[in-house]
Amino acid sequence: MPITFMQQFHFVVLPYLVMLIFFLGTIFRYRKAPYTYSSLSSQFLENERHFWGLVPFHYGIVTVLAGHVVAFLLPRQILAWNSQPLRLYILEITALVAGLLAIVGLVGSIVRRLTFSKVRTVTNTFDWIVLSLLLFQLLSGVYVAVFHPWGSAWFSAAISPYLWSLVRFNPDLNYIAMLPIGVKVHIIMAYVIIGIAPFTRLVHILVVPNPYLWRRPQVVRWYRAPKEVA
Amino acid sequence: MNVRSQVSMVFHLDKCIGCHTCSIACKNIWTDRRGTEYMWWNNVETKPGTGFPTAWEDQEKYNGGWEVEDGKLQLKSTSKAKTVFNIYHNPSMPTMDDYYEPWTYDYQHLFNAPEGPDQPTAKPISMVTGELINIEAGPNWDDDLGGSPIYAENDPNLASLSPEQRAQLSAVERLVLFYFPRICNHCLNPSCVASCPSGALYKRGEDGIVLVDQKRCRGWRMCVAACPYKKMFYNWNTGKSEKCILCFPRLETGQAPACFHSCVGRIRYLGVLLYDADRIEEVASLPKEKLIEGQRSLILDPNDPEVVAAARQSDVHDSVVDAAQRSPVYQFVKTWKIALPPHLEFRTMPMLFYVPPMSPVMSSQENGTISHVSDNLFHDIDESRIPMKFLASLFGAGDESFVRYALRKQKAVRWYRRAMTVGDVDMPTAERMLREADCSPDEAEAIYRLTALCTFDERFVIPPMHREEAIQMMEDPLTHKQDVGFGFMSGPHRGM
Ligand code: SF4
């Protein structure tokens, strides 16, 4: 099947474009407006539903994303793991449960933001766009997982080589040309989300507690350098 | 010895009249912005009372401060591993309901209301959502024991009292209260700093002021949970934490912080303490009953030549050592031992000290007379309306002896002055009281002067901050004074 112009656009131009936007955007924002580099927590305004929304959502989505990354980096190992059906089922069910967990949490968060007026006050248009995109993406992901099994297998066999071809600047669309429409939509939406991330609260993903985990408890800053005391 | 200097404070509770001038001075300067309306970096609580946020002293509820586990000092609210695990939801985070929802009134309605048979009223509206609200709490909801059976009953310090002592506190016509003004304690072992995953919180090396780097703060809110005094505030509008900055821009220009400057009762003292930074952890891990002595031992004598030499070694500027030698805080805390740290058992080593309140103790006397020849001239202190246990829970890490010592000395000073000026007490009795209270006539005179006659310059001995170069490096703070005010580094938007 010949590769159409639209395919070229969605699966070659778009990924390069969004990666460029992502890197330039996040770096630029970090330099120019470090103050804004976080997610605006609303836990202070509403504490209970916050737990039931945010915790399942984050644990779910982190697990799912980690799965995607591993399949991208180690496709052969995943295929080897899947060579026994039981192990394949374990992997697939874990992924599905994580995805469902993320959906439950996200829906919880959206309902929370809609119902509590104080939380609604601190929610802007971009937040609603992000929440909608994430919900759509999670739903499409679960749809793909359910109706196009077994994702862990074909991701490693088709998507991973396709992504690697992009990384090598030698795009090869043959891997994905035949994929069902649901999968393609899921991929395109992923690119869109990466593309808008620098302009939304999603930048908080890039923030890690560093160097907290290995620093001493107290932090002292000197205006002039302190003399070493023997 | 690693000598560091700390700008420290004393609040003389015997003098506080509960006027809240300090709170207003602070609010007008620092927390009049959206997201900060509910914050009171300086607040004045009525004791007994639950304070702000409600029952902040109850660490079973809020998990603030440190605890010692297997000899190791650990945060109560979190650990490094727990922080990673709880990064999406902070389990010890207080909510706005623990403070109050800030509100204003719909004043426009007074002008716009259609003509009718009744006077229009201005209804309360939330400053968060702009919607009508039912006011259920405020920053001083239980001020002067307002609604005390509901609020003051829940004061965590009452837990240590017997039912009789509790009844005595609230008996009709013997009701008693005192005021407890609070700001950030700028602790030596701050739990907020230790808990910050971003390393945004820090202590300034030269003066010990604890600040939040707003550009590094990622809004993880661990500090809000970790501070046992609940003096870290979350700005819900910017998603950053904010706190008392001890008015460092004022200090750097030689002025006292706004709450100190405006204090009507002149209860506030500010000065430098030198301390040994190498021993902080050791002292903070001491058993509870050794904490007060331990903290005192951290504070070094600025007149000791060895300390002065060590300070020079550690690069503490001579002018700062000089300020430390004249520090009123050193007098109150170390020389006279009548100022005590609040809730030292939280182990953050607060550097704000309180002289425990005396007046209600004195007024517990029935019939107004005391037998001058009583063998124990201090017996009324232990029979005071405010039980010693209550004060000990607040200022003695649970140990009554420190509070008793401070109150006895204060009382002896009063009687000594009374013998001198009023003459209704004979001098030998007054002098005996001084002896029993571990106080010399000279010391009594000095305490009297610094308590009653203190001038502005005696109360606030501000060290030179040596930040002149930093100010020069910045833009001129007067650049935009005409249009937006002092210190703005960019102009107004929309030609405001
Ligand atoms: S201004 Fe001074 S006297 Fe008045 S409430 Fe504040 S601390 Fe007390």
Side-chain angles (χ1 to χ4, degrees):
Chain A
M1 202 164 75
I3 310 285
T4 64
F5 169 75
M6 279 320 272
Q7 277 176 332
Q8 286 280 1
F9 177 76
H10 284 139
F11 299 106
V12 180
V13 179
L14 193 61
Y16 285 124
L17 189 69
V18 297
M19 285 320 268
L20 192 72
I21 295 175
F22 182 80
F23 281 112
L24 288 183
T26 50
I27 293 169
F28 187 76
R29 179 161 169 189
Y30 193 81
R31 293 245 159 144
K32 273 284 163 212
Y35 184 83
T36 67
Y37 234 78
S38 58
S39 195
L40 177 58
S41 165
S42 58
Q43 190 188 349
F44 179 68
L45 300 171
E46 196 289 320
N47 203 353
E48 245 159 65
R49 301 272 196 97
H50 183 272
F51 176 85
W52 295 110
L54 277 272
V55 173
F57 168 70
H58 277 100
Y59 278 105
I61 195 107
V62 165
T63 311
V64 168
L65 280 178
H68 284 64
V69 171
V70 171
F72 163 64
L73 292 176
L74 308 167
R76 239 168 273 158
Q77 283 78 352
I78 293 283
L79 289 175
W81 167 276
N82 281 349
S83 59
Q84 284 183 23
L86 182 63
R87 297 203 296 208
L88 169 78
Y89 296 149
I90 290 174
L91 191 61
E92 288 285 333
I93 288 172
T94 311
L96 188 61
V97 168
L100 290 173
L101 205 60
I103 291 182
V104 169
L106 188 62
V107 170
S109 308
I110 292 174
V111 171
R112 169 177 176 269
R113 277 190 188 269
L114 285 170
T115 36
F116 291 90
S117 57
K118 275 187 257 176
V119 185
R120 211 163 49 226
T121 314
V122 293
T123 313
N124 63 23
T125 317
F126 261 106
D127 294 337
W128 290 121
I129 295 174
V130 167
L131 289 170
S132 327
L133 285 178
L134 287 179
L135 184 62
F136 181 89
Q137 187 66 343
L138 278 168
L139 289 173
S140 70
V142 168
Y143 166 86
V144 167
V146 172
F147 292 99
H148 304 295
W150 304 99
S152 61
W154 54 252
F155 188 109
S156 305
I159 309 275
S160 186
Y162 153 68
L163 291 174
W164 277 110
S165 76
L166 288 178
V167 172
R168 295 200 189 88
F169 292 105
N170 186 16
D172 186 348
L173 293 191
N174 288 320
Y175 290 114
I176 57 161
M178 300 302 289
L179 286 177
I181 181 77
V183 179
K184 284 184 174 157
V185 168
H186 191 72
I187 297 175
I188 295 169
M189 284 306 282
Y191 292 149
V192 171
I193 291 173
I194 293 172
I196 64 156
F199 314 102
T200 67
R201 64 194 303 151
L202 287 177
V203 287
H204 78 271
I205 298 167
L206 300 172
V207 176
V208 288
N210 177 42
Y212 173 71
L213 294 176
W214 35 88
R215 75 166 159 87
R216 297 174 44 140
Q218 297 302 345
V219 181
V220 177
R221 288 197 201 171
W222 296 85
Y223 168 51
R224 46 171 175 75
K227 220 198 273 177
E228 278 303 311
V229 180
Chain B
M1 201 170 1
N2 181 3
V3 181
R4 272 189 213 156
S5 66
Q6 167 80 38
V7 175
S8 316
M9 305 143 275
V10 166
F11 288 2
H12 199 311
L13 293 188
D14 215 14
K15 303 208 283 170
C16 179
I17 58 172
C19 61
H20 301 276
T21 310
C22 45
S23 308
I24 298 300
C26 174
K27 172 138 293 273
N28 281 342
I29 297 184
W30 302 118
T31 57
D32 55 351
R33 296 156 286 132
R34 185 160 167 79
T36 66
E37 304 96 337
Y38 85 95
M39 297 181 195
W40 293 87
W41 294 356
N42 180 111
N43 74 306
V44 183
E45 291 168 11
T46 301
K47 280 283 165 194
T50 50
F52 171 80
T54 308
W56 60 271
E57 291 154 290
D58 181 0
Q59 303 310 342
E60 296 307 309
K61 175 176 179 196
Y62 288 107
N63 289 319
W66 301 85
E67 59 192 356
V68 177
E69 242 175 55
D70 310 327
K72 264 205 65 134
L73 203 55
Q74 269 167 351
L75 288 176
K76 216 167 144 64
S77 60
T78 188
S79 65
K80 299 207 166 181
K82 275 198 235 158
T83 292
V84 174
F85 197 68
N86 290 329
I87 207 115
Y88 308 122
H89 176 91
N90 186 342
S92 307
M93 172 85 184
T95 62
M96 184 170 261
D97 299 335
D98 292 309
Y99 303 76
Y100 70 104
E101 185 168 345
W103 75 90
T104 180
Y105 294 91
D106 181 13
Y107 293 110
Q108 274 307 313
H109 185 67
L110 300 180
F111 301 96
N112 302 342
E115 221 176 291
D118 301 314
Q119 285 273 16
T121 54
K123 289 191 187 150
I125 42 181
S126 161
M127 288 176 91
V128 181
T129 60
E131 293 163 8
L132 291 176
I133 59 166
N134 258 334
I135 304 170
E136 273 160 9
N140 272 302
W141 213 235
D142 56 351
D143 201 21
D144 291 344
L145 297 181
S148 50
I150 311 165
Y151 301 105
E153 270 293 291
N154 300 318
D155 185 324
N157 298 295
L158 295 174
S160 58
L161 305 189
S162 66
E164 294 80 52
Q165 283 172 315
R166 276 167 171 252
Q168 191 194 340
L169 258 176
S170 54
V172 177
E173 293 193 344
R174 298 194 49 145
L175 206 67
V176 68
L177 65 91
F178 65 94
Y179 298 107
F180 185 33
R182 305 199 300 120
I183 64 173
C184 166
N185 298 306
H186 297 277
C187 306
L188 292 189
N189 185 33
S191 48
C192 55
V193 174
S195 73
C196 177
S198 316
L201 271 150
Y202 64 100
K203 202 167 169 62
R204 299 214 301 191
E206 288 81 2
D207 48 31
I209 298 175
V210 177
L211 296 176
V212 189
D213 183 339
Q214 292 279 305
K215 287 187 180 168
R216 274 189 78 167
C217 172
R218 305 277 172 241
W220 267 322
R221 321 175 293 291
M222 295 296 168
C223 53
V224 180
C227 173
Y229 302 94
K230 289 291 164 281
K231 282 293 174 188
M232 289 293 325
F233 296 93
Y234 178 74
N235 181 327
W236 53 265
N237 184 46
T238 60
K240 308 278 175 166
S241 288
E242 297 188 20
K243 67 180 291 297
C244 157
I245 58 174
L246 204 60
C247 285
F248 73 84
R250 290 176 60 92
L251 283 176
E252 284 173 9
T253 47
Q255 309 168 76
C259 57
F260 286 70
H261 195 125
S262 63
C263 177
V264 173
R266 300 185 303 168
I267 79 154
R268 296 174 178 227
Y269 300 81
L270 182 136
V272 170
L273 292 180
L274 300 180
Y275 68 97
D276 184 358
D278 283 343
R279 289 187 55 231
I280 296 173
E281 193 178 338
E282 170 208 324
V283 169
S285 325
L286 286 173
K288 188 172 157 185
E289 59 282 1
K290 298 221 173 96
L291 279 171
I292 294 210
E293 289 294 354
Q295 190 190 27
R296 279 185 189 151
S297 76
L298 263 184
I299 300 164
L300 304 167
D301 179 358
N303 289 306
D304 178 347
E306 250 178 64
V307 171
V308 174
R312 249 194 220 131
Q313 269 287 312
S314 311
D315 235 12
V316 176
H317 200 276
D318 284 354
S319 59
V320 176
V321 175
D322 173 64
Q325 288 169 346
R326 294 178 289 118
S327 168
V329 179
Y330 186 81
Q331 304 272 44
F332 275 114
V333 176
K334 270 282 267 210
T335 316
W336 306 330
K337 301 189 173 60
I338 58 175
L340 299 162
H343 287 297
L344 193 55
E345 72 277 13
F346 299 158
R347 298 175 186 278
T348 61
M349 301 290 122
M351 290 310 257
L352 160 57
F353 302 85
Y354 290 88
V355 178
M358 184 77 192
S359 314
V361 177
M362 298 293 285
S363 66
S364 77
Q365 278 302 311
E366 301 276 326
N367 308 326
T369 48
I370 297 174
S371 164
H372 296 170
V373 289
S374 153
D375 272 348
N376 183 356
L377 293 164
F378 299 101
H379 66 96
D380 58 328
I381 284 184
D382 273 299
E383 288 160 17
S384 65
R385 280 199 221 168
I386 300 182
M388 194 69 71
K389 266 218 149 79
F390 184 83
L391 291 174
S393 163
L394 264 167
F395 303 117
D399 188 335
E400 291 177 27
S401 63
F402 298 102
V403 179
R404 188 175 292 114
Y405 179 93
L407 291 177
R408 282 166 69 102
K409 203 176 245 189
Q410 282 189 82
K411 183 169 182 197
V413 171
R414 282 195 178 191
W415 278 58
Y416 176 69
R417 286 300 308 174
R418 204 162 137 187
M420 278 176 81
T421 53
V422 185
D424 64 335
V425 183
D426 61 274
M427 204 34 129
T429 310
E431 278 171 350
R432 189 174 125 215
M433 283 184 79
L434 280 184
R435 265 195 314 279
E436 286 179 24
D438 186 31
C439 185
S440 70
D442 282 350
E443 186 176 329
E445 199 58 37
I447 292 177
Y448 162 66
R449 292 204 73 83
L450 199 56
T451 303
L453 304 178
C454 46
T455 65
F456 211 78
D457 291 336
E458 283 163 341
R459 277 180 283 143
F460 312 129
V461 180
I462 301 165
M465 297 261 170
H466 302 291
R467 296 248 167 182
E468 297 83 353
E469 287 167 47
I471 291 168
Q472 278 160 13
M473 282 193 302
M474 294 194 306
E475 287 175 48
D476 181 1
L478 295 174
T479 312
H480 296 284
K481 183 164 186 300
Q482 292 295 308
D483 23 62
V484 261
F486 178 83
F488 278 77
M489 293 303 162
S490 55
H493 303 292
R494 290 181 281 120
M496 186 166 74

